[in-house]
Amino acid sequence: MTSANRDSALIKFAFRMATMMQDFYCERLGNFYVVGANWVYWAAFKLIKPFLAQKTREKIKLIDRNEQLLEWIAPENLIPELGGTLDFQYDPKTQWGLAPRD
């Protein structure tokens, strides 16, 4: 990127938005889990990690194996595909009130 095509206002906005999100939103967020994180996520996280507050960095968990989720989440709260025992069947028709009316 050259200085001719760099928009300094956009860059300032992006930094302000990132600061706002980590200062306010992350305080409401317990943890953020990225399940099945591949090398792209790991590389991106390593790049942005130095710019994040320590409190925010500690809340981001990159998970490459489902077994790692069990360190933070009880098995009864995870579906079997993620290593848990929760028997949950998602039915949007009943859960969103889309069942046909009689």
Side-chain angles (χ1 to χ4, degrees), residues 1-8 11:
M1 176 165 67
T2 65
S3 60
N5 63 3
R6 181 177 27 160
D7 185 354
S8 61
I11 293 170

Side-chain angles (χ1 to χ4, degrees), residues 14-29 51-57 59:
F15 274 103
R16 284 186 188 147
M17 184 64 91
T19 301
M20 182 184 76
M21 291 300 288
Q22 82 174 4
D23 289 345
F24 297 106
Y25 178 71
C26 287
E27 288 304 312
R28 301 179 57 92
L29 180 69
F51 300 104
L52 298 174
Q54 178 70 26
K55 216 185 303 186
T56 303
R57 280 196 303 261
K59 293 180 181 186

Side-chain angles (χ1 to χ4, degrees), residues 6-80:
R6 181 177 27 160
D7 185 354
S8 61
L10 182 61
I11 293 170
K12 287 179 187 176
F13 172 76
F15 274 103
R16 284 186 188 147
M17 184 64 91
T19 301
M20 182 184 76
M21 291 300 288
Q22 82 174 4
D23 289 345
F24 297 106
Y25 178 71
C26 287
E27 288 304 312
R28 301 179 57 92
L29 180 69
N31 283 307
F32 181 77
Y33 301 96
V34 180
V35 179
N38 60 21
W39 69 271
V40 174
Y41 286 101
W42 288 94
F45 185 63
K46 287 199 182 273
L47 287 173
I48 65 166
K49 190 175 179 179
F51 300 104
L52 298 174
Q54 178 70 26
K55 216 185 303 186
T56 303
R57 280 196 303 261
E58 292 170 355
K59 293 180 181 186
I60 300 172
K61 315 286 190 221
L62 298 181
I63 308 294
D64 58 350
R65 293 183 330 273
N66 291 342
E67 298 82 35
Q68 292 175 303
L69 276 174
L70 298 173
E71 294 176 26
W72 298 286
I73 302 172
E76 60 268 13
N77 295 321
L78 288 172
I79 59 175

Side-chain angles (χ1 to χ4, degrees), residues 79 81 86-98:
I79 59 175
E81 291 84 4
L86 178 65
D87 183 27
F88 177 74
Q89 299 299 319
Y90 178 66
D91 182 12
K93 291 181 180 178
T94 57
Q95 293 185 340
W96 290 95
L98 302 175

